[in-house]
Amino acid sequence: MNAVVSVVANVAMLLGVMASLGAAITLPGIAGLILTIGMGVDSNVLIFERIKEELKAAQPMRRAISAGFDRVFLTILDTHVASLIAAACLFQFGDGAVRGFATALSLGLLTNVFTAVVVSRTMFEITITNRRPLTFGALWIERWLGIGTTTGEEPWLQRAIYTAIHFRHAAVWFSAAVIAASVTATMVHGVSLGLDFTGGTAVVATFDAPIDEEVIRHVLPEGSTVQRYGATPDRTLQIRVPQAPTVTDGDDQAHVHAITTALSAPSLPPSHIDRTTTIGPTFGRDLQQKGTYALVGALLGIAAYVAMRFRPGFAVGATVATVHDLVVTMAVLGMAGYDLDLNIVAALLTVAGYSVNDTIVIFDRVRERLRASARVTLDTAISQAVIDTLGRTIITSGTTLAAVIALYLFGGTVLAGFAFTVIVGIIMGTWSTVFVAAPVAALVTRPRARGRETAPRVATIEAGDSLS
């Protein structure tokens, strides 16, 4: 209830600010709203997990809650500042839909800091003041998975995760092979650009009777593509005609007239046009250029902040992990038959933000481990950080994935590409945080941390030890 009230308050404040500013709600703006909600949930989960840790250390309830919020504040600040830097780059270099995403994300991050820290903490204080029962006991799922239990049971999932972390350097090579395969597949098959970037005309037409795609292709202009569309795919088709290189922006209606004339052929059942979208080639090329600048600027800005707050090697790890997620996700999109349009770009930006947020949470715990003891090695700190945040990773990734799957199943055709991209991105982001970002950061940082690496390996985790 605490998390739900906090997130609802965040959304209400965000919509109120956007309404007062006169900002329009677009699909990329909704993407920024979804990422804001995801980060709001993550902020609450981080706080709750910290409070549980304090309670397990036998701290009184009020002190545990206070320490939980205080210890998580820097983590929340780091994740939100990094996302704000990315949003600023997207707003500066992007255009149209990309700016809508950046605006919604920026406002949402500011409101989320307030609701996660102030609203949530106020609710805890009210509960404690009224002497209501407040427990942070392990749920049945935590007991079954062995996360955070103190009963002496075998934490099998933690053992499995540690075993995987032990071979994380092999996982880096596996991820490198996946990236190489993704790049090769993209080069062979190419990136299928949507009308937002190539220019052209898209018409959604519904026929009075079921229609065969091949019959439609025979009467359309050369180069046209036909796809099933909507809730009645046997009768509704999306017809797209790419813009010819010699066509200027003033000739946009020529394709619309050609399609409507073709659909009026006597051999076809009666039909009506549901929607028409026309984009000129100049506008499409401009979107390509600005989208590229925005994405590169966001990655460089995030890398600079991570290098300043952590270590330069950590910035390399975060950047490599984010690029890994974007490259693999785009390759999967190509194999699934989705075109790269503005909706997919908004989804890719959501994936990048989610990936960076996930990575910074791990890095922040690594930094805390290294500061706590000068004798803890970097490899040990990384392993322990992943284990420490395992509960948070499962809860945050699981809840976000469930929400996006629901969006994919029930959001309709327009949201299908966006939701599919985010689903793939969440899976890739969770993998890359543990098996790409942290190992790469360790590999890059190790030459400068050689003195620390030669220290006695205090607090190392042996394969047979309990990781509770």
Side-chain angles (χ1 to χ4, degrees), residues 14 18 24-36 97 100-102 104-105 346:
L14 173 58
M18 293 183 69
I25 300 295
T26 60
L27 184 57
I30 294 175
L33 177 62
I34 291 174
L35 181 56
T36 299
F101 174 86
L105 178 59

Side-chain angles (χ1 to χ4, degrees), residues 207 213-222 224 226 239 258-259 261-268:
F207 294 82
E213 298 168 77
E214 293 300 326
V215 176
I216 297 293
R217 288 192 180 96
H218 288 310
V219 300
L220 291 173
E222 185 178 356
S224 302
V226 181
I239 303 165
I259 294 174
T261 301
L263 296 181
S264 302
S267 59
L268 302 179

Side-chain angles (χ1 to χ4, degrees), residues 312-314 316-317 439-448:
F314 284 22
V316 175
V440 169
L443 290 173
V444 175
T445 307
R446 181 172 289 109
R448 297 185 180 183

Side-chain angles (χ1 to χ4, degrees), residues 2 5 14 36 47 55 82 89 100 129 147 166 176 240 285 308 323 344 369-370 390 402 460:
N2 194 314
V5 171
L14 173 58
T36 299
I47 293 170
L55 290 175
C89 294
T129 302
I147 302 173
H166 182 69
R240 295 183 299 173
R285 288 192 295 269
M308 179 185 69
V323 172
I344 300 298
R369 285 283 184 177
L370 292 175
L390 181 60
T460 54

Side-chain angles (χ1 to χ4, degrees), residues 49-70:
E49 288 291 325
R50 283 289 192 169
I51 294 175
K52 288 171 63 176
E53 291 180 12
E54 295 297 323
L55 290 175
K56 289 171 185 175
Q59 294 285 354
M61 178 63 69
R62 186 178 294 276
R63 185 178 299 176
I65 292 175
S66 178
F69 277 90
D70 293 341

Side-chain angles (χ1 to χ4, degrees), residues 192-195 201-203 220 223-227 238-242 259 337 339:
S192 180
L193 298 177
L195 296 180
T201 301
V203 172
L220 291 173
S224 302
T225 59
V226 181
Q227 290 179 313
Q238 183 183 61
I239 303 165
R240 295 183 299 173
V241 181
I259 294 174
D339 294 332

